[in-house]
mmCIF file of all heavy atoms in Angstrom:
data_model
loop_
_atom_site.group_PDB
_atom_site.id
_atom_site.type_symbol
_atom_site.label_atom_id
_atom_site.label_comp_id
_atom_site.label_asym_id
_atom_site.label_seq_id
_atom_site.Cartn_x
_atom_site.Cartn_y
_atom_site.Cartn_z
ATOM 1 N N GLY A 1 8.589 8.395 6.622
ATOM 2 C CA GLY A 1 8.650 8.471 8.108
ATOM 3 C C GLY A 1 8.829 7.071 8.727
ATOM 4 O O GLY A 1 8.465 6.064 8.102
ATOM 5 N N THR A 2 9.292 7.071 9.914
ATOM 6 C CA THR A 2 9.390 5.772 10.714
ATOM 7 C C THR A 2 9.029 6.110 12.125
ATOM 8 O O THR A 2 9.222 7.255 12.643
ATOM 9 C CB THR A 2 10.845 5.244 10.692
ATOM 10 O OG1 THR A 2 11.784 6.206 11.146
ATOM 11 C CG2 THR A 2 11.261 4.836 9.244
ATOM 12 N N THR A 3 8.462 5.078 12.809
ATOM 13 C CA THR A 3 8.114 5.252 14.270
ATOM 14 C C THR A 3 8.038 3.792 14.876
ATOM 15 O O THR A 3 8.009 2.835 14.098
ATOM 16 C CB THR A 3 6.770 5.946 14.427
ATOM 17 O OG1 THR A 3 6.531 6.206 15.803
ATOM 18 C CG2 THR A 3 5.636 5.148 13.865
ATOM 19 N N THR A 4 7.985 3.730 16.159
ATOM 20 C CA THR A 4 7.885 2.434 16.836
ATOM 21 C C THR A 4 7.198 2.593 18.168
ATOM 22 O O THR A 4 7.114 3.695 18.695
ATOM 23 C CB THR A 4 9.364 1.949 17.112
ATOM 24 O OG1 THR A 4 9.245 0.608 17.668
ATOM 25 C CG2 THR A 4 10.092 2.786 18.048
ATOM 26 N N ASP A 5 6.592 1.511 18.690
ATOM 27 C CA ASP A 5 6.082 1.418 19.985
ATOM 28 C C ASP A 5 6.838 0.501 20.918
ATOM 29 O O ASP A 5 6.348 0.192 22.009
ATOM 30 C CB ASP A 5 4.590 1.071 19.954
ATOM 31 C CG ASP A 5 4.424 -0.333 19.433
ATOM 32 O OD1 ASP A 5 5.356 -1.028 19.071
ATOM 33 O OD2 ASP A 5 3.180 -0.755 19.276
ATOM 34 N N GLY A 6 7.968 -0.015 20.426
ATOM 35 C CA GLY A 6 8.777 -0.871 21.276
ATOM 36 C C GLY A 6 8.579 -2.342 20.884
ATOM 37 O O GLY A 6 9.483 -3.179 21.030
ATOM 38 N N THR A 7 7.412 -2.679 20.372
ATOM 39 C CA THR A 7 7.093 -4.032 19.931
ATOM 40 C C THR A 7 7.077 -4.196 18.440
ATOM 41 O O THR A 7 7.575 -5.150 17.893
ATOM 42 C CB THR A 7 5.775 -4.517 20.548
ATOM 43 O OG1 THR A 7 5.837 -4.416 21.967
ATOM 44 C CG2 THR A 7 5.497 -5.976 20.125
ATOM 45 N N SER A 8 6.487 -3.159 17.779
ATOM 46 C CA SER A 8 6.378 -3.103 16.316
ATOM 47 C C SER A 8 6.922 -1.726 15.867
ATOM 48 O O SER A 8 6.874 -0.756 16.631
ATOM 49 C CB SER A 8 4.977 -3.294 15.849
ATOM 50 O OG SER A 8 4.486 -4.568 16.227
ATOM 51 N N SER A 9 7.384 -1.769 14.636
ATOM 52 C CA SER A 9 7.862 -0.481 14.028
ATOM 53 C C SER A 9 7.148 -0.319 12.716
ATOM 54 O O SER A 9 6.774 -1.289 12.017
ATOM 55 C CB SER A 9 9.384 -0.477 13.840
ATOM 56 O OG SER A 9 10.032 -0.521 15.085
ATOM 57 N N TRP A 10 7.000 0.940 12.248
ATOM 58 C CA TRP A 10 6.276 1.243 11.070
ATOM 59 C C TRP A 10 7.141 2.112 10.132
ATOM 60 O O TRP A 10 7.813 3.042 10.584
ATOM 61 C CB TRP A 10 4.973 1.957 11.301
ATOM 62 C CG TRP A 10 3.960 1.103 12.018
ATOM 63 C CD1 TRP A 10 3.001 0.368 11.421
ATOM 64 C CD2 TRP A 10 3.817 0.893 13.426
ATOM 65 N NE1 TRP A 10 2.242 -0.297 12.334
ATOM 66 C CE2 TRP A 10 2.714 -0.014 13.568
ATOM 67 C CE3 TRP A 10 4.500 1.359 14.528
ATOM 68 C CZ2 TRP A 10 2.297 -0.406 14.832
ATOM 69 C CZ3 TRP A 10 4.098 0.936 15.782
ATOM 70 C CH2 TRP A 10 2.999 0.070 15.933
ATOM 71 N N ILE A 11 7.146 1.859 8.840
ATOM 72 C CA ILE A 11 7.729 2.670 7.809
ATOM 73 C C ILE A 11 6.606 3.217 6.907
ATOM 74 O O ILE A 11 5.819 2.397 6.423
ATOM 75 C CB ILE A 11 8.714 1.855 6.958
ATOM 76 C CG1 ILE A 11 9.839 1.324 7.858
ATOM 77 C CG2 ILE A 11 9.313 2.706 5.888
ATOM 78 C CD1 ILE A 11 10.850 0.380 7.117
ATOM 79 N N LEU A 12 6.578 4.453 6.789
ATOM 80 C CA LEU A 12 5.466 5.127 5.984
ATOM 81 C C LEU A 12 6.037 5.787 4.744
ATOM 82 O O LEU A 12 7.064 6.563 4.812
ATOM 83 C CB LEU A 12 4.719 6.110 6.873
ATOM 84 C CG LEU A 12 3.605 6.994 6.292
ATOM 85 C CD1 LEU A 12 2.468 7.179 7.306
ATOM 86 C CD2 LEU A 12 4.041 8.342 5.771
ATOM 87 N N VAL A 13 5.351 5.630 3.621
ATOM 88 C CA VAL A 13 5.691 6.325 2.415
ATOM 89 C C VAL A 13 4.396 6.880 1.817
ATOM 90 O O VAL A 13 3.490 6.055 1.437
ATOM 91 C CB VAL A 13 6.347 5.368 1.389
ATOM 92 C CG1 VAL A 13 6.646 6.147 0.046
ATOM 93 C CG2 VAL A 13 7.694 4.843 1.935
ATOM 94 N N ARG A 14 4.279 8.256 1.731
ATOM 95 C CA ARG A 14 3.043 8.841 1.194
ATOM 96 C C ARG A 14 3.339 9.816 0.067
ATOM 97 O O ARG A 14 4.336 10.564 0.158
ATOM 98 C CB ARG A 14 2.392 9.612 2.414
ATOM 99 C CG ARG A 14 1.078 10.340 1.968
ATOM 100 C CD ARG A 14 0.281 10.662 3.220
ATOM 101 N NE ARG A 14 1.014 11.583 4.079
ATOM 102 C CZ ARG A 14 1.028 12.907 4.051
ATOM 103 N NH1 ARG A 14 0.285 13.500 3.099
ATOM 104 N NH2 ARG A 14 1.674 13.612 4.892
ATOM 105 N N ASP A 15 2.565 9.717 -0.955
ATOM 106 C CA ASP A 15 2.699 10.610 -2.119
ATOM 107 C C ASP A 15 1.497 11.535 -2.255
ATOM 108 O O ASP A 15 0.499 11.373 -1.564
ATOM 109 C CB ASP A 15 2.925 9.821 -3.385
ATOM 110 C CG ASP A 15 1.740 8.971 -3.774
ATOM 111 O OD1 ASP A 15 0.666 9.515 -4.002
ATOM 112 O OD2 ASP A 15 1.930 7.716 -3.841
ATOM 113 N N THR A 16 1.634 12.490 -3.161
ATOM 114 C CA THR A 16 0.570 13.420 -3.462
ATOM 115 C C THR A 16 0.082 13.309 -4.881
ATOM 116 O O THR A 16 -0.219 14.237 -5.550
ATOM 117 C CB THR A 16 1.046 14.913 -3.272
ATOM 118 O OG1 THR A 16 2.147 15.148 -4.030
ATOM 119 C CG2 THR A 16 1.457 15.107 -1.764
ATOM 120 N N GLY A 17 0.022 12.040 -5.286
ATOM 121 C CA GLY A 17 -0.355 11.776 -6.685
ATOM 122 C C GLY A 17 -1.891 11.645 -6.849
ATOM 123 O O GLY A 17 -2.665 12.145 -6.060
ATOM 124 N N ALA A 18 -2.266 10.888 -7.923
ATOM 125 C CA ALA A 18 -3.689 10.834 -8.264
ATOM 126 C C ALA A 18 -4.483 9.902 -7.406
ATOM 127 O O ALA A 18 -5.734 9.840 -7.412
ATOM 128 C CB ALA A 18 -3.800 10.404 -9.700
ATOM 129 N N GLY A 19 -3.782 9.004 -6.604
ATOM 130 C CA GLY A 19 -4.490 8.051 -5.818
ATOM 131 C C GLY A 19 -4.883 6.812 -6.610
ATOM 132 O O GLY A 19 -4.638 6.708 -7.769
ATOM 133 N N ILE A 20 -5.462 5.832 -5.845
ATOM 134 C CA ILE A 20 -5.820 4.572 -6.482
ATOM 135 C C ILE A 20 -7.296 4.344 -6.194
ATOM 136 O O ILE A 20 -7.727 4.483 -5.042
ATOM 137 C CB ILE A 20 -4.928 3.396 -5.888
ATOM 138 C CG1 ILE A 20 -3.447 3.751 -6.082
ATOM 139 C CG2 ILE A 20 -5.281 2.121 -6.508
ATOM 140 C CD1 ILE A 20 -2.564 2.778 -5.319
ATOM 141 N N SER A 21 -8.074 3.925 -7.186
ATOM 142 C CA SER A 21 -9.424 3.636 -7.047
ATOM 143 C C SER A 21 -9.657 2.414 -6.175
ATOM 144 O O SER A 21 -8.812 1.569 -6.013
ATOM 145 C CB SER A 21 -10.159 3.488 -8.398
ATOM 146 O OG SER A 21 -9.631 2.258 -9.014
ATOM 147 N N GLU A 22 -10.884 2.293 -5.603
ATOM 148 C CA GLU A 22 -11.247 1.178 -4.791
ATOM 149 C C GLU A 22 -11.194 -0.165 -5.571
ATOM 150 O O GLU A 22 -10.738 -1.186 -4.992
ATOM 151 C CB GLU A 22 -12.638 1.382 -4.218
ATOM 152 C CG GLU A 22 -13.092 0.266 -3.245
ATOM 153 C CD GLU A 22 -14.454 0.558 -2.562
ATOM 154 O OE1 GLU A 22 -14.978 1.626 -2.871
ATOM 155 O OE2 GLU A 22 -14.897 -0.339 -1.878
ATOM 156 N N ALA A 23 -11.631 -0.132 -6.783
ATOM 157 C CA ALA A 23 -11.533 -1.427 -7.590
ATOM 158 C C ALA A 23 -10.105 -1.841 -7.811
ATOM 159 O O ALA A 23 -9.828 -3.058 -7.782
ATOM 160 C CB ALA A 23 -12.231 -1.140 -8.956
ATOM 161 N N ASP A 24 -9.177 -0.904 -7.973
ATOM 162 C CA ASP A 24 -7.764 -1.262 -8.194
ATOM 163 C C ASP A 24 -7.142 -1.700 -6.876
ATOM 164 O O ASP A 24 -6.254 -2.568 -6.866
ATOM 165 C CB ASP A 24 -7.026 -0.097 -8.822
ATOM 166 C CG ASP A 24 -7.431 0.094 -10.262
ATOM 167 O OD1 ASP A 24 -7.772 -0.864 -10.928
ATOM 168 O OD2 ASP A 24 -7.304 1.269 -10.777
ATOM 169 N N ARG A 25 -7.588 -1.072 -5.776
ATOM 170 C CA ARG A 25 -6.933 -1.406 -4.490
ATOM 171 C C ARG A 25 -7.148 -2.875 -4.117
ATOM 172 O O ARG A 25 -6.297 -3.506 -3.526
ATOM 173 C CB ARG A 25 -7.487 -0.508 -3.370
ATOM 174 C CG ARG A 25 -7.081 0.933 -3.410
ATOM 175 C CD ARG A 25 -7.212 1.601 -2.090
ATOM 176 N NE ARG A 25 -8.623 1.663 -1.688
ATOM 177 C CZ ARG A 25 -9.433 2.685 -1.965
ATOM 178 N NH1 ARG A 25 -8.946 3.724 -2.760
ATOM 179 N NH2 ARG A 25 -10.641 2.758 -1.580
ATOM 180 N N GLU A 26 -8.267 -3.456 -4.526
ATOM 181 C CA GLU A 26 -8.538 -4.853 -4.157
ATOM 182 C C GLU A 26 -7.658 -5.812 -4.865
ATOM 183 O O GLU A 26 -7.388 -6.917 -4.362
ATOM 184 C CB GLU A 26 -10.060 -5.167 -4.551
ATOM 185 C CG GLU A 26 -11.055 -4.374 -3.730
ATOM 186 C CD GLU A 26 -12.458 -4.702 -4.150
ATOM 187 O OE1 GLU A 26 -12.610 -5.458 -5.153
ATOM 188 O OE2 GLU A 26 -13.422 -4.159 -3.534
ATOM 189 N N ARG A 27 -7.038 -5.382 -5.994
ATOM 190 C CA ARG A 27 -6.162 -6.390 -6.750
ATOM 191 C C ARG A 27 -4.757 -5.843 -6.899
ATOM 192 O O ARG A 27 -3.989 -6.407 -7.636
ATOM 193 C CB ARG A 27 -6.792 -6.569 -8.083
ATOM 194 C CG ARG A 27 -8.180 -7.069 -8.149
ATOM 195 C CD ARG A 27 -8.710 -7.293 -9.521
ATOM 196 N NE ARG A 27 -7.866 -8.155 -10.338
ATOM 197 C CZ ARG A 27 -7.967 -8.403 -11.619
ATOM 198 N NH1 ARG A 27 -8.902 -7.718 -12.323
ATOM 199 N NH2 ARG A 27 -7.169 -9.240 -12.281
ATOM 200 N N LEU A 28 -4.454 -4.728 -6.243
ATOM 201 C CA LEU A 28 -3.168 -4.118 -6.423
ATOM 202 C C LEU A 28 -1.954 -4.987 -6.065
ATOM 203 O O LEU A 28 -0.904 -4.904 -6.687
ATOM 204 C CB LEU A 28 -3.100 -2.759 -5.630
ATOM 205 C CG LEU A 28 -1.937 -1.822 -5.985
ATOM 206 C CD1 LEU A 28 -2.116 -1.400 -7.427
ATOM 207 C CD2 LEU A 28 -1.911 -0.618 -5.021
ATOM 208 N N PHE A 29 -2.172 -5.867 -5.043
ATOM 209 C CA PHE A 29 -0.995 -6.741 -4.582
ATOM 210 C C PHE A 29 -0.967 -8.053 -5.358
ATOM 211 O O PHE A 29 -0.198 -8.980 -4.957
ATOM 212 C CB PHE A 29 -1.123 -6.898 -3.094
ATOM 213 C CG PHE A 29 -0.877 -5.648 -2.350
ATOM 214 C CD1 PHE A 29 -1.933 -4.886 -1.814
ATOM 215 C CD2 PHE A 29 0.382 -5.234 -2.112
ATOM 216 C CE1 PHE A 29 -1.691 -3.759 -1.067
ATOM 217 C CE2 PHE A 29 0.638 -4.085 -1.350
ATOM 218 C CZ PHE A 29 -0.438 -3.326 -0.832
ATOM 219 N N GLN A 30 -1.854 -8.264 -6.348
ATOM 220 C CA GLN A 30 -1.771 -9.479 -7.103
ATOM 221 C C GLN A 30 -0.626 -9.337 -8.172
ATOM 222 O O GLN A 30 -0.358 -8.323 -8.708
ATOM 223 C CB GLN A 30 -3.128 -9.719 -7.920
ATOM 224 C CG GLN A 30 -4.224 -9.992 -6.992
ATOM 225 C CD GLN A 30 -5.512 -10.219 -7.796
ATOM 226 O OE1 GLN A 30 -5.491 -10.323 -8.981
ATOM 227 N NE2 GLN A 30 -6.620 -10.373 -7.117
ATOM 228 N N ARG A 31 -0.010 -10.495 -8.360
ATOM 229 C CA ARG A 31 1.156 -10.498 -9.355
ATOM 230 C C ARG A 31 0.664 -10.211 -10.726
ATOM 231 O O ARG A 31 -0.334 -10.728 -11.133
ATOM 232 C CB ARG A 31 1.839 -11.843 -9.246
ATOM 233 C CG ARG A 31 2.461 -12.083 -7.852
ATOM 234 C CD ARG A 31 3.171 -13.408 -7.813
ATOM 235 N NE ARG A 31 3.740 -13.644 -6.511
ATOM 236 C CZ ARG A 31 4.444 -14.733 -6.188
ATOM 237 N NH1 ARG A 31 4.607 -15.701 -7.009
ATOM 238 N NH2 ARG A 31 4.884 -14.797 -4.888
ATOM 239 N N TYR A 32 1.477 -9.445 -11.418
ATOM 240 C CA TYR A 32 1.250 -9.054 -12.827
ATOM 241 C C TYR A 32 -0.015 -8.101 -12.976
ATOM 242 O O TYR A 32 -0.320 -7.837 -14.181
ATOM 243 C CB TYR A 32 1.018 -10.248 -13.727
ATOM 244 C CG TYR A 32 2.171 -11.243 -13.675
ATOM 245 C CD1 TYR A 32 2.085 -12.421 -12.945
ATOM 246 C CD2 TYR A 32 3.404 -10.959 -14.328
ATOM 247 C CE1 TYR A 32 3.169 -13.342 -12.820
ATOM 248 C CE2 TYR A 32 4.453 -11.879 -14.225
ATOM 249 C CZ TYR A 32 4.341 -12.978 -13.544
ATOM 250 O OH TYR A 32 5.359 -13.928 -13.478
ATOM 251 N N TYR A 33 -0.537 -7.700 -11.889
ATOM 252 C CA TYR A 33 -1.675 -6.796 -12.052
ATOM 253 C C TYR A 33 -1.121 -5.295 -12.112
ATOM 254 O O TYR A 33 -0.336 -4.907 -11.316
ATOM 255 C CB TYR A 33 -2.716 -6.902 -10.898
ATOM 256 C CG TYR A 33 -3.832 -5.953 -10.974
ATOM 257 C CD1 TYR A 33 -4.793 -6.156 -11.972
ATOM 258 C CD2 TYR A 33 -3.907 -4.790 -10.234
ATOM 259 C CE1 TYR A 33 -5.901 -5.247 -12.061
ATOM 260 C CE2 TYR A 33 -4.979 -3.932 -10.319
ATOM 261 C CZ TYR A 33 -5.965 -4.177 -11.297
ATOM 262 O OH TYR A 33 -6.987 -3.304 -11.362
ATOM 263 N N GLN A 34 -1.656 -4.589 -13.126
ATOM 264 C CA GLN A 34 -1.303 -3.145 -13.256
ATOM 265 C C GLN A 34 -2.637 -2.321 -13.258
ATOM 266 O O GLN A 34 -3.488 -2.531 -14.054
ATOM 267 C CB GLN A 34 -0.622 -2.955 -14.615
ATOM 268 C CG GLN A 34 0.757 -3.685 -14.671
ATOM 269 C CD GLN A 34 1.372 -3.551 -16.064
ATOM 270 O OE1 GLN A 34 0.663 -3.537 -17.049
ATOM 271 N NE2 GLN A 34 2.695 -3.415 -16.071
#
């Protein structure tokens, strides 16, 4: 989905998978981290 308020716009991608644990979420955006 996409939406906007005139100043900012948002793109949303949502799945119905297994999800991500809290421990993994803290490092998910680090390079080479799986």
Side-chain angles (χ1 to χ4, degrees):
T2 58
T3 187
T4 185
D5 63 0
T7 302
S8 300
S9 294
W10 291 268
I11 300 174
L12 179 144
V13 177
R14 178 164 60 90
D15 62 61
T16 57
I20 305 171
S21 67
E22 183 177 355
D24 288 331
R25 287 200 297 270
E26 295 178 355
R27 302 180 58 190
L28 193 63
F29 292 100
Q30 295 180 6
R31 296 179 181 182
Y32 303 103
Y33 178 75
Q34 296 174 324

